[in-house]
Amino acid sequence: MHQTFYTTLRQIYEPRFIDTVYSSRLEKGTHRAVEALRHATWKVSRNFTRECWGLKCDVKRFYDSVDHQILFDLLGKTIKDERALRLLKNVISSFHIDGQEGKGTPIGNLTSQIFTNIYLNEFDQFVKHKLKVKYYLRFADDCLFLSHNKIELQNLLPEVESFLQEYLKLSLHPDKIILRPLSQGIDFLGYVTLPHHSVLRTTTKRRMFRKLSLKHGEFYNGKITSESLNQSLQSYLGMLSHADTHELTQNLKNQFCWK
């Protein structure tokens, strides 16, 4: 049922989403988002001849905070079939957070992923058409604003926070509001983008080596096959191919490749 809902809702809403939303969409995803960020920094900085600032924001406990009535009302603006709406209401009400009636969606669920984009589409439209932010990217509940003007980005914050609270009953995580110049690296989706190259985030590197070490141990203890281990390795090598990580790639191969 979730697959059917996901497919149907995606067909209805895909044309309504702005182009720079990269989560849970065909031909989008993490790597396309990082590529778009690189291109945007090049444009904002005019080929790295002037400053470029990035303001990254994260919605606080987004999946626990989605308001069921708001989500249902948003769906009702587009979907007019009463039977479909009843079914959607049943699906939405089946999600719940302990101690919070009428709130929450599960993480990772296909239907929840499309609901995330539908819920935050209101915010996306506000950013593009009311605030008129030219360079804006979103992946799930992670948002990134770019400008050559630091003050311009600082002035966005009160309006962003006000809209989220008033219309979507959401708030930004105060510890995850980060304003940085491109020269120091803009950290987004596991990669750090710099003027002429990008690298993997330090915590991402540590997690990658830790997980591969665990997989390696499982292989030598007979818990997984060499094919399973190699699939994990190739997955990480693919992730590294999207950044300037030649030395890191060689280290990974030296540690975990075998004949």
Side-chain angles (χ1 to χ4, degrees):
M1 182 172 69
H2 286 302
Q3 180 66 55
T4 302
F5 267 122
Y6 176 78
T7 301
T8 303
L9 289 172
R10 189 182 66 196
Q11 290 172 344
I12 294 170
Y13 281 95
E14 184 64 28
R16 300 170 187 272
F17 297 148
I18 67 172
D19 189 54
T20 55
V21 171
Y22 287 88
S23 53
S24 308
R25 299 179 70 187
L26 292 175
E27 299 183 3
K28 296 285 187 179
T30 302
H31 298 137
R32 290 287 180 89
V34 174
E35 289 172 9
L37 170 57
R38 290 177 193 149
H39 186 64
T41 59
W42 178 78
K43 281 191 168 184
V44 172
S45 66
R46 292 182 179 167
N47 196 16
F48 313 120
T49 60
R50 69 173 182 178
E51 280 194 324
C52 172
W53 288 83
L55 172 64
K56 189 175 78 165
C57 306
D58 187 331
V59 177
K60 184 178 181 181
R61 298 186 62 190
F62 171 76
Y63 293 97
D64 290 351
S65 303
V66 169
D67 184 280
H68 290 182
Q69 188 59 52
I70 292 175
L71 175 58
F72 184 70
D73 289 344
L74 291 174
L75 289 163
K77 287 182 179 180
T78 302
I79 299 170
K80 302 304 179 183
D81 184 275
E82 291 297 328
R83 289 180 301 175
L85 285 172
R86 282 197 298 271
L87 199 52
L88 284 166
K89 193 164 191 174
N90 288 336
V91 171
I92 294 167
S93 62
S94 70
F95 305 148
H96 68 278
I97 303 298
D98 292 341
Q100 294 189 63
E101 281 295 320
K103 281 189 176 292
T105 59
I107 299 174
N109 179 299
L110 278 176
T111 305
S112 179
Q113 290 172 15
I114 190 67
F115 282 163
T116 296
N117 282 342
I118 292 170
Y119 201 85
L120 289 176
N121 182 53
E122 296 295 300
F123 176 65
D124 300 332
Q125 300 295 336
F126 170 72
V127 168
K128 295 301 290 185
H129 300 297
K130 297 295 184 180
L131 297 183
K132 299 189 183 302
V133 176
K134 188 172 183 180
Y135 297 101
Y136 163 76
L137 298 89
R138 180 173 66 76
F139 191 98
D141 61 324
D142 290 334
C143 306
L144 182 64
F145 306 81
L146 298 171
S147 174
H148 72 280
N149 190 325
K150 178 182 179 181
I151 304 302
E152 180 182 292
L153 293 179
Q154 289 175 325
N155 290 339
L156 284 177
L157 270 175
E159 295 187 81
V160 164
E161 292 181 299
S162 177
F163 181 90
L164 287 172
Q165 181 60 48
E166 183 176 351
Y167 292 96
L168 299 176
K169 294 186 180 179
L170 300 173
S171 59
L172 297 179
H173 197 302
D175 298 329
K176 295 183 178 180
I177 299 173
I178 301 169
L179 180 61
R180 293 185 59 144
L182 178 63
S183 59
Q184 293 180 14
I186 297 174
D187 187 332
F188 189 56
L189 303 178
Y191 296 86
V192 179
T193 297
L194 291 142
H196 298 285
H197 68 290
S198 60
V199 297
L200 212 59
R201 182 191 295 161
T202 300
T203 53
T204 304
K205 287 188 284 188
R206 289 174 182 162
R207 183 168 60 249
M208 177 179 63
F209 275 97
R210 185 173 64 251
K211 288 186 175 182
L212 276 174
S213 293
L214 289 172
K215 285 279 188 181
H216 211 245
E218 289 176 348
F219 167 68
Y220 279 106
N221 288 323
K223 294 181 179 179
I224 62 172
T225 64
S226 60
E227 182 181 4
S228 177
L229 177 57
N230 189 56
Q231 285 175 347
S232 296
L233 175 61
Q234 294 305 319
S235 175
Y236 284 117
L237 289 174
M239 182 173 69
L240 292 175
S241 70
H242 293 273
D244 301 286
T245 55
H246 176 74
E247 185 176 343
L248 181 60
T249 297
Q250 291 307 309
N251 288 340
L252 201 68
K253 290 179 177 179
N254 290 338
Q255 286 193 46
F256 298 107
C257 279
W258 66 94
K259 294 182 180 180

